[in-house]
Amino acid sequence: MERRATIKDVAEAAGVGVATVSRVLSGGSASPQTRERVLAVAAQLDYRPSALGRNLRQRRTGGMGLLVPDLTDTFHAQLAEGVLACARSAGEPVVLGSTGGDPEQESELIGMLLEQSVDRLIAVPSGDVETWAPAIRAGMTVVFADHLPPGPAAGDDPAATAMTDLMRLDGLPSAPQPRPLDVPSVVADDRAGIRTAVRYLRGLGHKRIAFLGGPGQDRRVAAFREAVGSPVDEELVVFGTGSRDSAYAAASGLFQSRPDLTAVLAGGNVLGEAAVLAARELDLRVPRDVSLVMYDDVPWAELCSPPLTVIAQPGRDMGYRAAELVLRSGGRRPRGVVLPTELIIRGSCAPRR
């Protein structure tokens, strides 16, 4: 095998010192003539800087971490695809981990990444702010995607906290509540998406609309409560724990306990899948017996019979933008990003007579 060219080889061939080559290749100052000569020699020798050596000097492993609850979830896969695309264009490797939606497992993975000196991390969080505090204190640059971790105080009202977040993202004034984690995020405009879907169902004549929610969906629940208005029928707001079995149990229980409901808004694609299966098992016809709207547009939604009406959020773009934010670390702290959603009307909703 041919010996790989070193920075010393480039320096000797270009007639300059090793420090000059390093400065040119890292974007430092050099005369135009020197820069041109060094780059030409480096290209001729096919010189590639040693990532290991560079990272050891900087005391970091290089690359970034990405933590998601479930890699088999279509939305999380789309988000990961966006992160990988951005990282690839920047020449950064990505350490990928699945938390299973378990805060303890998430905490272990955070600790592992800190031990490996990974200093940039994108996460769809499962744990609360206490889970993430060690990473922030250690100086890790963190960007949350899809949603934020819940607050630290057990006595906090999740709906009130979520509504404060919504108002802050919308640029509206709210009571001063300092966030325990000053971390940028890339999220979809849940409030606008949920509100548009509820208005659409109301326009079709639906009055008893249920919400099927899961972990990390406090903002969507708060948006639903706001959209349906007071008083909210609490029996029509139900939750699964995150697994497919739990989602199915929640959907089935909802349909059986409230046969008078006329429409369901599922807070995610796993919940939407559960609602479709539960309705089929209980011989409920969509949309004749119950109309269904799902948050997330995934390939199988259009293949259902009938195709599902969805609130589409840009999963791949969310991942790409999150990677862009985390790569900007080192300068001024980046601001969070709110991406638009879109109501895509298909065949799973019908007028209520």
Side-chain angles (χ1 to χ4, degrees), residues 4 12 43 70 76-77 85 111 133 152 163 177 182 195 226 228 250 267 281 292 297 299 338 346 348:
R4 181 175 175 177
E12 291 177 353
D70 182 4
H76 294 150
M163 186 55 64
Q177 293 182 353
D182 188 22
R195 182 171 52 199
E226 180 189 31
V228 297
E281 290 291 326
L292 179 60
D297 190 19
V338 181
R346 296 181 179 134
S348 62

Side-chain angles (χ1 to χ4, degrees), residues 7-38:
I7 192 171
K8 186 176 181 181
D9 296 330
V10 175
E12 291 177 353
V16 297
V18 170
T20 300
V21 175
S22 177
R23 191 165 59 249
V24 168
L25 296 179
S26 63
S29 61
S31 69
Q33 296 84 358
T34 300
R35 181 181 303 280
E36 183 177 349
R37 186 165 70 253
V38 168

